[in-house]
Amino acid sequence: MPRYPPPISPDMGAGAELRRALLEFGTGPLLAEMPRRTLADKGIAGPTAAHVIEELHTPLNLAYTTFTTGTTAFQTPVGVTWQELPDRAAAGVRALERCGVPRGAELLVTYPPLVNVFSRQALEEYGSKARFILRPSRDALLAELCSGARFVVGESSFLRAALQDAHRLGLSRELPENLVLIAAGTPLDPELANEAARLPGARVHDLYGCQEFGWLVLDGAPLRSDITLCWDPEDADRHHLLVGGLPTGDCFRLGAHPLNPEGAICTNTKVRSSLELETTLLAGNVSSRETALRTARTILRIKSRIVRVSPEYVCGAERTRLAVGPPGGPPLLELEGPEATRMLDTLAQAQRQYQRQAKTDPVWRKKC
């Protein structure tokens, strides 16, 4: 197997001397010196049947990268900035608290990428650690439940099927009492709560969120203060959910959540909107319109959300103002910061930081 770097031959002359100097005094990193972020570093070192583990060069200004699940189309790459982590982690901690998970408890996660929605920072702040089923299969989950796993995060139909397996195989008595099942990643399976009700003290929670923005709603109640609902002009009974002024692309009915009468957002009724709303920036606390345009491009690239900048955009405003509406149509609502536009403002902050401290590679010069 070839060595890296290859050995220096004495007869290489000037090239050998330059190479020796580079190894001792060069400013750029060697491959072995580059920082690395493994699956274990992200807290997602578990098996799935739908992925390949691939190393890639991730820009330093991103805390980590992940992918959407690709429910209706190809999976979308997602970038999570360092500036987002505090709010993202706080929402994850709030979700665990409301679910009654004790601090320091171990979470069994059936689908490792769900940890990316929390972020590893959230689990570390909570003093908890995620572990994963041995294989992505129902019998693997059943084995963990029969071994005492009490706090479980997973897709609701997968959880429901595992409980049905336990009942059918006569293993229900082997499952722990006071089981906490946190259904996440897909709309709540209506039979999951019924299956859980057959177990002593078992509870079910409905956790909604996405890879782009983290966890957003638990049992119908928002986990963030910048959640806004906007009526759907194509279906008056449904409402688009926005986070910090950015549409998630999902619509819900309002009422009493089946697991929480005080939760008004019925996340169990989630449908993907056929009407893709767009955000238009009207004013913001940036020094130039160019920075606002770059922020819009950044959001498109790492969050796949369309943001436009009004021709009358006001720079240096005390608060962000924006409008949300269908492409080319009248706005459905206007929002003013700081609270209602927190997510967008956080991404604008990340863009400003990137412009001030962008890390570039001297071997790649790209003219703008």
Side-chain angles (χ1 to χ4, degrees):
M1 190 171 180
R3 291 170 54 194
Y4 184 83
I8 299 172
S9 172
D11 59 358
M12 288 180 68
E17 291 303 319
L18 287 171
R19 188 177 177 82
R20 209 173 273 118
L22 280 170
L23 289 173
E24 292 188 31
F25 308 110
T27 56
L30 298 172
L31 177 61
E33 296 171 341
M34 290 184 65
R36 291 183 177 270
R37 190 181 299 144
T38 65
L39 292 182
D41 292 329
K42 296 165 71 172
I44 59 170
T48 84
H51 296 84
V52 61
I53 298 172
E54 175 185 1
E55 289 188 285
L56 72 160
H57 290 84
T58 300
L60 293 171
N61 47 295
L62 291 176
Y64 59 91
T65 56
T66 183
F67 283 83
T68 63
T69 53
T71 306
T72 57
F74 260 50
Q75 300 86 344
T76 303
V78 174
V80 178
T81 66
W82 295 101
Q83 289 78 5
E84 293 173 70
L85 286 183
D87 286 345
R88 194 180 186 103
V93 165
R94 202 168 291 123
L96 294 175
E97 288 176 338
R98 292 186 188 176
C99 288
V101 178
R103 287 185 177 266
E106 186 176 64
L107 290 176
L108 178 67
V109 181
T110 65
Y111 184 66
L114 287 174
V115 175
N116 280 336
V117 189
F118 282 99
S119 81
R120 181 174 179 175
Q121 285 77 0
L123 300 185
E124 289 178 345
E125 286 182 26
Y126 208 67
S128 295
K129 184 179 180 181
R131 67 182 181 88
F132 308 101
I133 54 180
L134 186 62
R135 293 182 184 274
S137 62
R138 280 158 46 184
D139 51 353
L141 174 56
L142 187 56
E144 292 289 350
L145 292 174
C146 291
S147 299
R150 188 177 158 217
F151 304 101
V152 185
V153 180
E155 190 271 328
S156 64
S157 294
F158 185 67
L159 300 180
R160 182 261 305 155
L163 294 188
Q164 290 176 333
D165 289 344
H167 297 314
R168 188 178 68 255
L169 297 172
L171 296 174
S172 299
R173 293 182 180 179
E174 302 295 324
L175 273 57
E177 293 186 358
N178 303 315
L179 184 64
V180 176
L181 300 172
I182 304 173
T186 60
L188 180 68
D189 188 311
E191 295 301 316
L192 176 58
N194 294 334
E195 293 295 332
R198 300 169 64 182
L199 302 173
R203 303 194 311 275
V204 174
H205 294 281
D206 180 17
L207 182 58
Y208 164 76
C210 58
Q211 294 286 355
E212 296 94 329
F213 304 123
W215 297 119
L216 304 175
V217 181
L218 177 71
D219 297 339
L223 291 167
R224 293 176 56 114
S225 60
D226 57 354
I227 300 296
T228 306
L229 296 170
C230 172
W231 65 279
D232 186 352
E234 295 184 347
D235 186 345
D237 292 331
R238 295 192 179 275
H239 290 72
H240 295 261
L241 190 141
L242 284 65
V243 52
L246 298 174
T248 61
D250 293 328
C251 284
F252 307 93
R253 297 189 185 280
L254 301 185
H257 191 280
L259 300 179
N260 175 22
E262 297 180 1
I265 306 172
C266 297
T267 45
N268 58 306
T269 66
K270 183 189 102 170
V271 294
R272 194 67 184 171
S273 171
S274 60
L275 178 65
E276 292 288 345
L277 300 184
E278 297 180 353
T279 299
T280 300
L281 300 181
L282 306 175
N285 187 21
V286 296
S287 59
S288 69
R289 189 169 187 273
E290 179 60 28
T291 297
L293 289 168
R294 291 181 178 182
T295 300
R297 286 198 294 272
T298 289
I299 293 172
L300 176 62
R301 291 174 180 179
I302 69 173
K303 305 298 183 186
S304 300
R305 298 297 181 267
I306 296 176
V307 176
R308 303 189 186 279
V309 180
S310 169
E312 291 80 34
Y313 180 80
V314 178
C315 299
E318 183 178 342
R319 297 181 177 184
T320 297
R321 287 191 300 107
L322 58 84
V324 178
L332 300 177
L333 85 166
E334 291 192 9
L335 297 175
E336 182 173 291
E339 205 57 52
T341 61
R342 186 173 178 87
M343 172 61 76
L344 194 145
D345 289 341
T346 299
L347 294 172
Q349 177 191 357
Q351 176 62 37
R352 291 195 299 269
Q353 184 78 7
Y354 175 67
Q355 291 175 191
R356 287 194 298 265
Q357 299 179 348
K359 181 69 174 177
T360 58
D361 195 311
V363 307
W364 183 261
R365 295 297 185 187
K366 183 177 179 181
K367 293 183 179 180
C368 297

